[in-house]
Amino acid sequence: MTSVLLPVVLVGLMGDVPLSLVIVALCHPTHPWLVHALIAAFGLYAVGWALAARSVVAAVPHVIDDHQLWIGGSIRHSGKLPRGAMVRAVPVQGSRHAWAATQGVAMRDTLRMSELDPPNLAIELDAGAMTGVELLRNGKPLPPRRWLLLYADHPSELVRLATRKDATALAGEAATIS
């Protein structure tokens, strides 16, 4: 979704400027430049917001090493999941509500960790190992739930690395999965 956001905003802005020229010339002939400046400022603000949202999501990837998974790729959410807390990771096909219905998971047991993009990966957490899980929303602690739903550009790679039992196979190097 974040890849589509900027073109949509730009196309909308290109349509708004010519339309505003006609409307302002007819409705506000005494001070058209002020109205044009406001429309341009709001359009550029939207473009700036779209660029910032995309750069934040692309700049903070998910990273996994021998000991934990760092959750990134989100504007508001971040976190650390110890390997021992992760029971399994499964891909989410379709909507999260459809996935929850097919898996028999109540939505109150899930926590969505991506705002802009729909989640395509679900990580089940061990109820007995929740003490090491650190989740944040806007820098404030967030209580973990049984399932974490997040977006990954390469969910199958993240599933493979997150569920690998021999963590030493990473040879001490962190694997970055955006």
Side-chain angles (χ1 to χ4, degrees):
M1 180 179 148
T2 56
S3 300
V4 176
L5 184 62
L6 185 61
V8 167
V9 169
L10 286 174
V11 168
L13 182 62
M14 289 189 313
D16 286 347
V17 171
L19 187 60
S20 72
L21 289 172
V22 173
I23 292 173
V24 170
L26 294 174
C27 298
H28 300 284
T30 57
H31 51 281
W33 294 111
L34 174 64
V35 177
H36 291 310
L38 287 173
I39 291 171
F42 284 124
L44 291 175
Y45 176 77
V47 169
W49 183 87
L51 283 171
R54 181 62 187 150
S55 67
V56 165
V57 170
V60 186
H62 306 303
V63 177
I64 191 163
D65 70 1
D66 291 345
H67 308 288
Q68 62 190 346
L69 166 66
W70 285 282
I71 298 174
S74 179
I75 293 174
R76 293 187 184 108
H77 291 94
S78 62
K80 297 176 188 174
L81 301 177
R83 279 189 173 269
M86 294 183 283
V87 175
R88 63 182 171 141
V90 295
V92 174
Q93 304 277 327
S95 75
R96 62 189 164 128
H97 297 287
W99 171 83
T102 59
Q103 296 291 322
V105 173
M107 289 307 292
R108 68 179 174 278
D109 292 335
T110 66
L111 180 61
R112 185 174 173 182
M113 298 293 290
S114 61
E115 291 87 18
L116 299 177
D117 294 315
N120 61 359
L121 183 66
I123 298 176
E124 184 178 11
L125 300 178
D126 183 5
M130 293 282 196
T131 56
V133 174
E134 179 185 321
L135 301 175
L136 302 172
R137 177 184 289 147
N138 295 331
K140 296 177 182 147
L142 189 63
R145 298 197 186 146
R146 182 175 163 220
W147 288 93
L148 296 182
L149 304 175
L150 55 104
Y151 174 82
D153 287 337
H154 307 286
S156 59
E157 185 69 10
L158 188 57
V159 167
R160 185 182 69 78
L161 291 171
T163 56
R164 177 176 269 171
K165 294 300 178 195
D166 60 339
T168 57
L170 291 173
E173 293 194 24
T176 301
I177 293 90
S178 52

